[in-house]
Amino acid sequence: MSDVARQAVADRLYFRRRIVNGVGLVFATLSTGFGLFWLAWILWTTFYTGISALNGKLFTMMTPPPGDEGGLLNAFAGSAMICLLAILIGAPIGIAAGTYLAEYAKKSRLGEAIRFFNDILLSAPSIVLGMFVYTVVVKQVGHYSAFSGSLALALIVLPVVVRTTDEMLKLVPGAMREAGLSLGVPQWKVTVQILYRAALPGIVTGVLLALARISGETAPLLFTAFDNQFWSTNVAQPMASVPVVIYKFAMSADAGWKSLAWAGALIVTLFVLALSLISRAILLRNKVSND
Amino acid sequence: MAASAESLAIAQSDEQRARRDGRKDRLFRRTVAGAGVFVLVMLAGVALTTLWGGREAFATFGFKFLVSSEWDTIGKQFGALAPVYGTLVTAAIAMIIAVPVSFGIALYLTEIAPTWLRTPVASAIELLAGIPSIIYGMWGLFVFVPIMGKYVIPWLNDHIGEWPLIGPLFKGPPLGLGMLTAGIVLAIMVIPFISSVMREVFLTVPTRLKESAYALGSTTWEVAWDIVLPYTRTAVIGGIFLGLGRALGETMAVTFVLGNVHRLSLSLLEPGNSIAATIANEFAEADSEIFRSSLIALAFLLFVVTFIVLAIAKLMLRQMERKEGK
């Protein structure tokens, strides 16, 4: 082959590689635009429709019958109670289990097994967790209750807190443990009074992330906490929650209900986004101060 | 004499304290270990109770429960085929869209974007994962479904609907609701999960490898395709399975846009059903024991499938961690 022909082949090859590269890079950039596009669109719809549905009655009136005007007060109160109770149940167990993984089990076989199955629980479909609580609690008691809803949500809180606690305790330098133990402080006291204090921002972040996850969670509440049109603070009875009310109202044909659903959706979205921003900020600050 | 009695007392109290500390240490250890085992108990509990709750359906219909698409709430005949099919098809559509897009996003955020832009864009994409799924559902139903029904589906009918082989998939009524819409909404939901795993593992590729390839004259795309991707292959597959597990189990978003019709149809534009949507829609109205049992049996099936998918994801990701020497 002559030099000229060889050069022509090389040029063609080079040209093709550059085309492939160009197409690939454009594709990657467009993909990112694609992702951001949906984010912007969904947030825009939620804000735009939600804000026009906002008014003072939202926080002062109960969920109305169709055709009437009203607010979401009982749903907000119900959500707050159900979620708080879920955190109170799930977080302590999660912190304890995370402590076991980081401080005692470490890389043992049992520890690795717990980590493995905890990660599966973390991504398990929430509706199945609701079904589990329904079968174990609701069916045995005979009626829906806010408490069973909290139990279902606690199952979502648990793996999130286990994982963050485990990871945050692992970040605490071993020298701290050794310093405490060498002074004759028993291990439980080292853990509770030294390690928890050092890992506190991380553990709090885990709890906040868990709260963010459960405050918009709908599926497991459908057949545990169910719904209640009226004000209720009795955790042994059905209770309204914002996501379930949104679901019910959005699926209806009533315009007033639909607009309330959008207002609720806006509040839930704002709350969840604020929580995730706050937990990010805590983590970031913590990282800087540790360096 | 007095001094030795005193030191004896001190020694005794020391011993007492050591014993008390030891007791408390053991108690603490047992408590936290109990909490750790509790996680395992819960997961086993979920599997066993849903199997137990579904026993009536499994016993009555036997194997037919899996292969029958009949869903007759009055005649009390239940088969899981239609919802299982819907779950698999919507998840498949979601993965077909989400996997390449997530790869693109991860590539953009690790190789292409200017450094100052990377963190904010990555955070924004991750915000998508934080939006509650019911918001996706409402947006899907009120904003996306009308657009699908008015513009996208008529276009698909006219253009792709006549093609051989894949034509029938894209032929259907312009309802807007259906498998394709649900699959697209699911794709939007799982993109942040897959892309953040991909981005993280792409960052673990040693700079030495990439720069060697660049030094030999590789283009950015060639580095991504021939160096980064092969190096991170197992973890990338793990991330994809993680997204798949999410897509299979997602409930609210799908419930809003799937149409909830128990019917098997080839067309992706017809309304359908999925396991999670069926349970969410019908459980409160289930009026007979066998109906409820069938729904719990569906939950069991869903749990088993997602468990397997997530276990594969976890194993793949763990292999990558080993490689990094963690």
Side-chain angles (χ1 to χ4, degrees):
Chain A
M1 216 191 308
S2 74
D3 277 356
V4 179
R6 197 170 293 157
Q7 186 62 40
V9 169
D11 279 350
R12 258 206 314 279
L13 191 61
Y14 179 62
F15 184 69
R16 214 186 64 209
R17 286 177 55 209
R18 277 188 47 182
I19 293 287
V20 168
N21 184 50
V23 170
L25 298 195
V26 167
F27 161 77
T29 312
L30 286 180
S31 298
T32 310
F34 182 80
L36 294 175
F37 165 74
W38 299 109
L39 174 72
W41 194 1
I42 292 170
L43 286 182
W44 164 252
T45 308
T46 312
F47 278 72
Y48 183 78
T49 331
I51 282 176
S52 58
L54 279 185
N55 59 46
K57 294 194 198 91
L58 197 64
F59 301 102
T60 53
M61 288 175 76
M62 307 295 157
T63 47
D68 241 351
E69 61 174 17
L72 295 172
L73 179 61
N74 52 338
F76 284 128
S79 263
M81 278 184 69
I82 294 170
C83 290
L84 204 66
L85 200 55
I87 294 280
L88 287 180
I89 300 166
I93 303 176
I95 292 174
T99 309
Y100 175 69
L101 290 178
E103 298 301 316
Y104 294 96
K106 299 195 176 117
K107 298 228 158 177
S108 72
R109 200 171 270 180
L110 178 62
E112 287 297 308
I114 293 174
R115 275 191 200 103
F116 184 83
F117 289 111
N118 184 67
D119 279 355
I120 288 184
L121 193 59
L122 193 69
S123 302
S126 59
I127 193 158
V128 177
L129 303 179
M131 211 76 207
F132 166 61
V133 173
Y134 172 84
T135 320
V136 174
V137 181
V138 178
K139 208 172 170 199
Q140 310 309 322
V141 178
H143 60 85
Y144 299 116
S145 64
F147 184 70
S148 62
S150 297
L151 285 180
L153 295 185
L155 282 177
I156 302 174
V157 172
L158 181 69
V160 179
V161 176
V162 170
R163 194 175 177 167
T164 37
T165 307
D166 179 20
E167 275 170 12
M168 291 303 150
L169 283 177
K170 270 194 225 150
L171 290 181
V172 178
M176 273 203 202
R177 293 180 185 86
E178 285 156 16
L181 291 173
S182 69
L183 290 173
V185 183
Q187 196 176 358
W188 70 271
K189 230 174 198 174
V190 170
T191 310
V192 173
Q193 297 190 345
I194 302 175
L195 303 183
Y196 280 173
R197 211 167 282 182
L200 189 66
I203 295 174
V204 170
T205 310
V207 174
L208 288 180
L209 285 177
L211 181 60
R213 263 195 77 182
I214 59 172
S215 47
E217 195 59 67
T218 321
L221 293 179
L222 290 174
F223 28 81
T224 51
F226 200 58
D227 191 17
N228 190 339
Q229 203 194 322
F230 305 104
W231 175 265
S232 166
T233 50
N234 184 357
V235 291
Q237 290 299 322
M239 196 183 278
S241 61
V242 181
V244 172
V245 170
I246 293 176
Y247 175 55
K248 189 174 115 190
F249 283 10
M251 286 294 215
S252 78
D254 185 81
W257 272 16
K258 258 185 205 164
S259 134
L260 274 178
W262 278 112
L266 173 64
I267 305 280
V268 169
T269 310
L270 284 178
F271 182 69
V272 170
L273 292 186
L275 272 182
S276 59
L277 287 178
I278 291 171
S279 44
R280 248 165 229 272
I282 294 177
L283 269 192
L284 216 62
R285 204 182 58 187
N286 194 39
K287 218 173 253 168
V288 172
S289 71
N290 264 357
D291 281 342
Chain B
M1 217 25 200
S4 83
E6 201 175 286
S7 66
L8 195 68
I10 289 173
Q12 263 176 351
S13 81
D14 270 0
E15 205 175 298
Q16 268 171 2
R17 201 170 70 183
R19 216 176 293 146
R20 201 182 58 219
D21 284 347
R23 216 166 37 235
K24 282 189 179 169
D25 257 348
R26 276 194 298 279
L27 183 69
F28 185 74
R29 191 200 160 106
R30 280 195 199 126
T31 312
V32 295
V37 173
F38 182 75
V39 174
L40 297 182
V41 173
M42 279 299 115
L43 203 73
V46 172
L48 293 178
T49 42
T50 45
L51 179 61
W52 176 248
R55 73 189 182 284
E56 207 184 323
F58 288 127
T60 314
F61 306 122
F63 190 64
K64 226 185 82 200
F65 185 70
L66 290 177
V67 294
S68 157
S69 65
E70 195 177 0
W71 193 267
D72 179 0
T73 55
I74 300 156
K76 296 188 179 149
Q77 290 298 314
F78 299 100
L81 191 60
V84 168
Y85 173 77
T87 302
L88 297 178
V89 170
T90 49
I93 297 171
M95 298 323 281
I96 290 171
I97 301 169
V99 169
V101 170
S102 303
F103 173 71
I105 293 176
L107 176 61
Y108 179 79
L109 290 175
T110 51
E111 299 290 330
I112 305 171
T115 321
W116 57 270
L117 199 60
R118 291 181 187 182
T119 319
V121 171
S123 312
I125 297 279
E126 275 171 33
L127 273 191
L128 262 177
I131 299 175
S133 65
I134 190 160
I135 310 294
Y136 283 91
M138 283 181 78
W139 171 84
L141 180 63
F142 294 117
V143 179
F144 196 52
V145 163
I147 291 177
M148 287 294 286
K150 211 165 166 188
Y151 304 105
V152 180
I153 292 177
W155 187 88
L156 287 175
N157 268 331
D158 292 347
H159 291 82
I160 306 183
E162 305 301 329
W163 291 8
L165 285 178
I166 65 160
L169 290 176
F170 296 100
K171 197 110 185 103
L175 291 173
L177 298 164
M179 306 267 200
L180 183 64
T181 314
I184 295 173
V185 174
L186 276 181
I188 303 168
M189 295 189 70
V190 298
I191 282 172
F193 289 102
I194 305 179
S195 69
S196 79
V197 172
M198 283 190 184
R199 186 177 79 100
E200 266 166 41
V201 296
F202 284 4
L203 287 174
T204 65
V205 179
T207 319
R208 218 175 332 124
L209 279 185
K210 288 193 282 185
E211 287 186 347
S212 310
Y214 280 126
L216 291 174
S218 300
T219 61
T220 309
W221 180 257
E222 284 164 349
V223 169
W225 199 253
D226 299 326
I227 309 291
V228 173
L229 208 50
Y231 187 83
T232 55
R233 191 172 46 227
T234 46
V236 165
I237 297 172
I240 292 171
F241 272 77
L242 199 67
L244 180 61
R246 291 271 171 176
L248 289 168
E250 177 46 50
T251 311
M252 295 324 289
V254 177
T255 306
F256 273 93
V257 297
L258 201 45
N260 304 304
V261 176
H262 279 278
R263 188 175 50 200
L264 277 181
S265 66
L266 189 59
S267 167
L268 301 178
L269 308 179
E270 295 272 2
N273 222 329
S274 80
I275 295 179
T278 305
I279 300 171
N281 260 310
E282 303 184 13
F283 198 76
E285 291 147 24
D287 44 10
S288 60
E289 204 48 46
I290 185 76
F291 190 177
R292 212 166 292 145
S293 177
S294 300
L295 290 170
I296 299 178
L298 276 181
F300 175 72
L301 290 182
L302 179 61
F303 183 73
V304 170
V305 173
T306 47
F307 184 92
I308 294 170
V309 167
L310 292 170
I312 294 173
K314 222 24 236 172
L315 290 173
M316 294 253 170
L317 288 168
R318 188 164 289 190
Q319 224 173 329
M320 187 73 193
E321 276 171 17
R322 290 240 174 81
K323 197 157 144 191
E324 279 172 60
K326 266 188 195 164

